[in-house]
Amino acid sequence: MKFNIIIAVAATVFSTTLASGAALAQASQKGIPGLYRTDVQRHDSSIPGYEVIQDRVDIEPGVVAPNHRHPGEEVVYVIEGALEYDLQGRPPAVLKAGDGLTVPAGVPHIVKNLGTSNGAELGTYVVPKGKPLFELAP
């Protein structure tokens, strides 16, 4: 009997985790065609009130992630392709696979896939817990 209860609890936790991950991916994509987020991990930070979120972000050729900002730091590692990052107050920078960039909290930025194939980044965010991962910026 105990074994059945343990299995039922484990199945519930697993399915809830999958559902919440899928909901986060859908919510964070914001309906931008050609831009896809895949959740890698999410957990509380050692900084009180903050969490760490890590996503793989795939951007199809020619697609632009519109001007947006994050409530905390974003640390970018380009996995594939050539992506242009246009951060407010800085000249645009083109990053290729293996390059990294830190986007300060609240800084509006635009990302564009300059290549003819998929562009992808691993985005690691250290953000206040409970706030949206990003918002569109004017």
Side-chain angles (χ1 to χ4, degrees), residues 41-132:
Q41 64 176 318
R42 174 185 280 235
H43 61 84
D44 288 343
S45 170
S46 61
I47 303 167
Y50 281 75
E51 64 183 330
V52 175
I53 299 171
Q54 196 169 56
D55 286 347
R56 177 187 169 116
V57 182
D58 288 274
I59 306 172
E60 293 179 354
V63 170
V64 177
N67 203 25
H68 65 285
R69 62 181 156 227
H70 306 280
E73 307 297 309
E74 175 185 15
V75 180
V76 172
Y77 176 76
V78 178
I79 300 169
E80 62 182 282
L83 301 173
E84 180 181 77
Y85 293 82
D86 188 358
L87 279 65
Q88 182 178 339
R90 295 188 194 175
V94 177
L95 277 65
K96 296 181 179 167
D99 292 337
L101 173 75
T102 298
V103 180
V107 172
H109 56 287
I110 297 168
V111 183
K112 179 179 183 181
N113 182 348
L114 299 176
T116 58
S117 61
N118 188 61
E121 71 172 41
L122 180 64
T124 304
Y125 309 88
V126 181
V127 294
K129 196 168 183 172
K131 287 199 170 189

